[in-house]
Structure formats: structure tokens, C-alpha cells
Amino acid sequence: MEQFKVCEKETKTKTYSKEGLARETKVDPHEAARQATRDWLSEKVDALSTQIDAHEADVERLSSGKGAKRHRAEVEQLEASIKRHRWHIARLEQIARLLDNDALQHEQIDEIKEDVEYYIDANQEPDFMDAYDETMDIFESLELGELAPAGDDDAAPAADAGRRKKKGGRGDDDDDDDDPKARKKKDKQAAKEAKEAEKKAAKAAKAKATATVPLTIGRATVPK
């Protein structure tokens, strides 16, 4: 009877009543954590985008006028920072997609939060680059793989190159194979080495043949 009363009460509860609204606000804890992680990712993307806007404004300001050459080093540093930020944004957006597709869990993303927040907060410090390791990938634990190039191969930091070496990916020799000039140079060097090897082999064969020729001793004529 008690169960029937509870069921009847829930059935008669109006959708927009206080009880109805309170019941609708009950969210699964796991889904709530996922949503909080989505919000965090979006917040960090916005923070990096804001820094990019500021850097681009500084680049434009320093690149114009008579003092452009004097500020060249500073402009290059800002441009490098912009590329790093874009790479981190691409990673964060990739993580958000994987989270939506259940390929990543919010607990996994929690492990990188501290490093991401440190990068965003500390990269504005003057001595940040002295302690920053270009080959370090703060997302490595998530095993995201390499990012597809988005029109600018330089946008990805050295972390991707370091990951390729760790996973036995393409090395410098493979990169040379894709360069026509480097390939031609390698072919020319290989032909030269082959020619020198042939000369050495011919010289060795000639020396061996000379050594095996029997010596003919003539008869000595003794005068009578």
C-alpha cells in the first residue's frame, strides 16, 4: 500500500511544481563530473585564445614602425608562443571530442589538469622558457597520438617529434627520403662508394694474381 501511495504521488506531481523541478535537477554524478570536465576544457581553450589575441596585437604593434628590426627577437618569441598555444588548444579540443565519444573518462583528464593550468598561468612569466621543455608533452599520459597538420607544420612543438622517436616512428633518414635533393645526394654518395669499392676489389684481385705467378729460374751457363 505504501508503495502505491509513493507511486501515486510521483504520478500526480506537477512538472513545474517545486517537487517536480527538484526531481528534474537530480543528475547522475558521473554525468555531472563529465559536464564539469567539459566546462573546464572550454574555459582553458578560452584562456589560451585570449592570450593568443594579446600576443597577436603585440606582434602587430612591434612589427610596425621604424623600430621593427629592433624588436625582431621579441616578435619571434611571441610568434613561437602563439604556435605553442594553438597546439595546446588543438589538444584540448581533441580531448573534449574524445570525452563526448566516451573514448576518454573524466578521471583520466583530471590527471593533466594541474599541468595545463600551470602552462596557462606560467607561460606569461619572463623566465618561463628557461624552464620549459619543448620535448615534454603534458598530454602524453592520455595517448592521444599525433595531431594532423593544420596547414602549418611548425605549429606543433617538439613534443610530437619526441613522441615519434619514442614510438619508433619516422626518423631523420625517412624524412630525407621525402626530400628530392637529399635523395639525389644520397644516391650520388652511394654510387661513389660503390665505385671506390670496385676499384679496391680490382686492385686486390690484381695483387693476388701477381703473387700466385710461379717464378722461372733460368739455367746458369758455366764457362768451360
Side-chain angles (χ1 to χ4, degrees):
M1 188 67 181
E2 287 295 328
Q3 292 179 350
F4 174 76
K5 288 182 179 180
V6 171
C7 180
E8 184 181 19
K9 183 178 180 181
E10 290 181 353
T11 304
K12 292 182 178 180
T13 300
K14 295 180 179 180
T15 305
Y16 297 103
S17 64
K18 290 183 179 180
E19 292 183 2
L21 292 172
R23 188 169 60 190
E24 288 183 0
T25 55
K26 291 180 181 179
V27 182
D28 176 55
H30 180 72
E31 181 57 36
R34 278 164 54 92
Q35 186 58 49
T37 302
R38 289 191 194 96
D39 294 340
W40 178 84
L41 290 167
S42 178
E43 178 185 335
K44 299 312 165 187
V45 168
D46 290 343
L48 286 171
S49 298
T50 300
Q51 291 185 10
I52 287 176
D53 291 339
H55 287 347
E56 288 178 338
D58 289 339
V59 168
E60 185 176 356
R61 174 178 56 82
L62 295 171
S63 299
S64 60
K66 296 181 179 180
K69 291 183 179 180
R70 187 171 66 253
H71 297 125
R72 188 57 198 166
E74 188 176 353
V75 168
E76 289 177 353
Q77 186 175 353
L78 288 168
E79 289 175 342
S81 180
I82 289 171
K83 290 177 181 179
R84 282 195 305 273
H85 283 10
R86 286 176 177 164
W87 183 84
H88 281 79
I89 287 175
R91 281 300 191 197
L92 293 172
E93 291 175 342
Q94 180 186 13
I95 291 169
R97 291 193 298 271
L98 293 172
L99 178 66
D100 289 339
N101 295 330
D102 291 327
L104 280 178
Q105 301 303 316
H106 65 85
E107 294 91 349
Q108 294 174 274
I109 301 172
D110 289 343
E111 296 177 2
I112 64 163
K113 283 185 175 181
E114 184 177 352
D115 289 335
V116 171
E117 289 174 353
Y118 170 77
Y119 172 79
I120 294 174
D121 294 338
N123 79 84
Q124 302 293 301
E125 300 297 329
D127 58 346
F128 172 75
M129 288 307 300
D130 295 337
Y132 181 72
D133 184 0
E134 284 280 1
T135 63
M136 183 185 69
D137 184 0
I138 60 178
F139 305 104
E140 185 176 7
S141 63
L142 301 181
E143 298 182 352
L144 303 176
E146 293 181 31
L147 282 172
D152 187 358
D153 294 338
D154 294 334
D160 276 343
R163 190 184 305 104
R164 285 197 295 271
K165 291 181 179 179
K166 287 181 181 179
K167 294 186 177 181
R170 298 183 56 177
D172 295 337
D173 293 339
D174 292 330
D175 292 337
D176 290 341
D177 289 341
D178 292 336
D179 187 349
K181 292 183 178 179
R183 186 166 59 249
K184 185 177 180 181
K185 184 177 180 181
K186 286 178 67 177
D187 292 343
K188 188 176 180 180
Q189 180 65 24
K192 183 179 179 181
E193 291 175 356
K195 192 173 182 180
E196 289 178 355
E198 288 179 3
K199 287 182 179 180
K200 288 181 180 179
K203 188 175 181 181
K206 185 177 180 181
K208 184 177 180 181
T210 303
T212 56
V213 173
L215 295 175
T216 302
I217 302 175
R219 290 184 179 180
T221 303
V222 180
K224 292 180 181 180

